[in-house]
Amino acid sequence: MADANPFVDPLRFARRVPPCAVVIFGANGDLTMRKLMPALYRIHYEGRMPASFAVIGTSRTAMTDEAFRAKMRASVEKFLEDSPFERDVWESFEPNLFYEAGDVADAGFYARLAARLAVAEGSSGTAGNVLFYLSTQPSHYATVVRGIGEARLAEGAGWRRLVVEKPFGHDLDSARKLDDAIHEVFPEASVYRIDHYLGKETVQNILAFRFGNGIFEPLWNRRYVNYVQITAAESIGVEGRGSYYQETGALRDMIQNHLLQVMATVGMEPSNIFEAGAVRDERAKFLRSVRPIKTSDVDKYAVAGQYGPSRAGGVETPGFREEPGVDAETQTDTYAAVTFYVDNWRWAGVPFYVRTGKRLPKRVTDIAIQFNSAPHSLFAVGGEDGRASARPNLLIMRIQPEEGISLRFMSKYPGSGMKLRPVSMDFSYGSSFGTRTPTAYETLLVDALSGDATLYTRQDMVEASWRAVGPILDVWSGRRFDFPNYSAGTWGPAESDDMLARNGHFWRIP
Ligand code: BG6
């Protein structure tokens, strides 16, 4: 809440980070190199890091502070998005980086960490504020939290917070157990469960679009909306993460968390104020209204896919089963599509179609809201060539890439007579604002460090999401699919089109 905490700026402009230490567990991993370190560097670049801070990386691999700094420099240079790497800025950032190797099950490791933190408090002036960031293998989360607790690192002079990377559990039961383990050490107010989609500028803009304008909200309900489609397509495969992904699958990796959160952003009620408790209450309420599919109906409302090899355009792409670390017989979904229904007054009867997949034709994430057709057709339809057909209004919110919003409507084709053709009204972030968009991790790190959990998920949301996908996971885990059922580079299995066709709908090609 925007209360006595001077670091919470309700409008989020120029929010600054207070003196603190950040301890990253799993600092030798992909996420630290690709996302966390570039984000911290960028926050520093903008002058939003405090004069006093320390980032302590940890992992099992032995490394000196110097080696860690060199490694982080290389990854920041490589993965910094849309912004320059500047040597002098790096040189003022680098002395704040430290490294401590250790085994997460070893009490001695936490004692060494405590000593590091004490030094940082003295020499870096971190005021005892510590953010612990869990980015290890998820199976280590509970062990790390216990280690922090036993070494009494969760208490001290300043604030102590814990950021937990997804996946938050593997199902409802394991999510609850993990939550219990965390609450043994950290109170709920100090726990930040990250879902980086909520930090994406364009996902935040859904709220601005809906609740910062007067004309859309009156139409945003079952009376005017015919259906909603959410697509998160990736052209990449599993990129060296075969063994992790094999245990996860598309439904768990993307739908249970990111896409249900996006769906909640599209469907939730407005909160009365923009404050963590109020906004998260509304998201949670929406997620609790998502109807869990009966196991006997899973085949009607959910489709699993797995990509096979392709030779399109003379390029050989391996199938999922040929990827390193993946079983030759694996039953893991690399594509998932689900029809959700939301049991509340606003959305009763409106299908929310959600799909995601690896090795689809392109990388695109968008939301399409299809409105009902005009009740009566007065005009002939067709452009110059007479081929276009009457199309209902469609609002598209593009999350990435080419971030923007467009609205399709029918327009008169120039000339005598009244012929109509669909046209579109477009807003593009790039051309409207001409300013750099912060990455999701920049936004979310600054928020956690300044004590704002609005864009973080809460345990009740996590549980509601597991409840929504649980029956599908149960049915799929006991099944032998006829995989692969789509070729790399195509839009997924035919059953997914059939699922929509049964309602007289079809997937847009984004
Ligand atoms: C991650 C998933 O959470 O999100 C990845 O584990 C996926 O499999 C990624 O590729 C997508 O994120 P973004 O921001 O690139 O859309």
Side-chain angles (χ1 to χ4, degrees):
M1 201 161 118
D3 50 17
N5 182 346
F7 295 101
V8 173
D9 160 14
L11 295 176
R12 299 160 175 280
F13 296 130
R15 184 172 277 183
R16 305 177 89 82
V17 174
C20 61
V22 178
V23 179
I24 304 176
F25 294 92
N28 202 22
D30 228 37
L31 186 83
T32 305
M33 291 191 272
R34 283 174 186 271
K35 303 287 181 190
L36 301 182
M37 208 46 80
L40 287 167
Y41 165 81
R42 179 70 207 193
I43 299 165
H44 176 71
Y45 175 95
E46 285 171 0
R48 298 160 81 202
M49 284 305 269
S52 326
F53 71 96
V55 178
I56 305 173
T58 79
S59 86
R60 220 184 337 215
T61 314
M63 228 186 304
T64 59
D65 287 346
E66 288 66 35
F68 180 63
R69 289 170 185 165
K71 189 163 189 174
M72 293 302 114
R73 177 184 174 141
S75 43
V76 170
E77 284 190 75
K78 183 163 172 201
F79 295 115
L80 205 53
E81 290 169 28
D82 324 320
S83 61
F85 178 84
E86 284 182 18
R87 220 173 106 187
D88 52 335
V89 179
W90 177 262
E91 280 165 6
S92 62
F93 177 73
E94 183 182 76
N96 301 289
L97 302 188
F98 306 92
Y99 184 80
E100 186 62 55
D103 177 344
V104 293
D106 168 23
F109 167 54
Y110 300 92
R112 294 198 301 280
L113 213 49
R116 286 271 190 178
L117 284 168
V119 172
E121 200 174 328
S123 63
S124 306
T126 58
N129 297 327
V130 187
L131 182 91
F132 297 101
Y133 198 114
L134 284 190
S135 169
T136 59
Q137 270 178 37
S139 55
H140 290 154
Y141 286 178
T143 315
V144 175
V145 172
R146 202 176 321 117
I148 293 173
E150 282 168 2
R152 309 186 73 102
L153 296 178
E155 50 205 272
W159 48 254
R160 306 288 156 120
R161 298 185 188 132
L162 179 75
V163 177
V164 190
E165 258 300 329
K166 71 170 260 277
F168 205 81
H170 197 66
D171 52 22
L172 180 58
D173 201 42
S174 53
R176 283 190 176 142
K177 288 199 176 108
L178 175 59
D179 194 55
D180 291 345
I182 289 174
H183 282 153
E184 296 272 314
V185 178
F186 290 93
E188 177 59 23
S190 307
V191 182
Y192 290 70
R193 298 172 193 81
I194 200 163
D195 185 310
H196 79 279
Y197 267 58
L198 289 180
K200 287 184 189 273
E201 202 72 13
T202 38
V203 172
Q204 295 179 63
N205 194 44
I206 299 172
L207 297 181
F209 184 81
R210 291 187 55 198
F211 306 139
N213 294 292
I215 65 170
F216 304 112
E217 218 31 44
L219 306 177
W220 215 261
N221 58 55
R222 64 190 300 278
R223 244 176 299 161
Y224 300 98
V225 174
N226 197 254
Y227 62 87
V228 177
Q229 274 186 14
I230 300 177
T231 299
E234 295 186 279
S235 52
I236 53 169
V238 286
E239 308 293 291
R241 294 196 309 156
S243 59
Y244 158 78
Y245 197 84
Q246 173 166 272
E247 301 303 316
T248 311
L251 185 64
R252 277 197 179 90
D253 188 46
M254 291 290 290
I255 296 185
Q256 185 273 337
N257 34 65
H258 303 324
L259 299 187
L260 277 171
Q261 288 294 339
V262 170
M263 184 171 139
T265 311
V266 171
M268 67 191 251
E269 297 300 316
S271 59
N272 57 340
I273 45 169
F274 195 62
E275 175 268 325
V279 174
R280 299 197 300 172
D281 283 348
E282 295 304 337
R283 275 188 205 287
K285 201 164 82 188
F286 177 89
L287 289 167
R288 278 198 301 273
S289 312
V290 176
R291 186 189 307 163
I293 299 167
K294 286 199 218 118
T295 44
S296 54
D297 282 343
V298 163
D299 291 341
K300 214 157 119 198
Y301 296 124
V303 174
Q306 187 191 87
Y307 64 87
S310 134
R311 282 178 157 218
V315 183
E316 297 255 0
T317 311
F320 179 58
R321 290 175 174 183
E322 282 90 59
E323 299 273 8
V326 176
D327 269 15
E329 299 271 289
T330 181
Q331 296 293 311
T332 300
D333 50 309
T334 61
Y335 175 99
V338 183
T339 305
F340 288 109
Y341 285 94
V342 180
D343 290 332
N344 65 18
W345 275 61
R346 191 192 276 259
W347 296 116
V350 177
F352 282 74
Y353 302 118
V354 177
R355 66 175 161 170
T356 186
K358 300 277 186 199
R359 290 267 188 241
L360 299 186
K362 60 177 176 177
R363 175 175 186 254
V364 59
T365 301
D366 71 12
I367 300 152
I369 297 177
Q370 169 115 335
F371 291 90
N372 292 334
S373 303
H376 171 64
S377 173
L378 245 66
F379 308 113
V381 171
E384 201 175 18
D385 58 6
R387 284 216 317 253
S389 57
R391 309 284 287 280
N393 298 117
L394 181 72
L395 179 77
I396 296 168
M397 307 178 105
R398 272 187 312 279
I399 305 298
Q400 60 193 23
E402 287 153 33
E403 294 78 1
I405 297 177
S406 67
L407 177 67
R408 181 180 73 197
F409 59 96
M410 299 301 288
S411 176
K412 180 182 177 306
Y413 194 85
S416 58
M418 278 296 275
K419 271 193 171 176
L420 268 52
R421 205 191 78 176
V423 293
S424 125
M425 210 149 63
D426 293 306
F427 150 72
S428 134
Y429 268 86
S431 49
S432 295
F433 292 116
T435 169
R436 178 186 173 270
T437 304
T439 65
Y441 279 95
E442 286 167 42
T443 303
L444 293 171
L445 277 169
V446 172
D447 282 3
L449 289 165
S450 45
D452 182 351
T454 312
L455 299 179
Y456 281 83
T457 64
R458 218 169 46 186
Q459 180 65 11
D460 53 349
M461 298 183 214
V462 171
E463 291 189 13
S465 304
W466 280 122
R467 251 183 240 111
V469 299
I472 310 174
L473 291 169
D474 290 346
V475 170
W476 287 3
S477 70
R479 166 142 326 157
R480 280 200 75 75
F481 290 98
D482 193 10
F483 281 164
N485 60 354
Y486 71 100
S487 299
T490 65
W491 279 108
E495 291 86 339
S496 183
D497 298 321
D498 300 343
M499 177 172 79
L500 270 67
R502 286 195 291 275
N503 288 351
H505 299 152
F506 56 88
W507 288 114
R508 288 173 44 251
I509 302 286

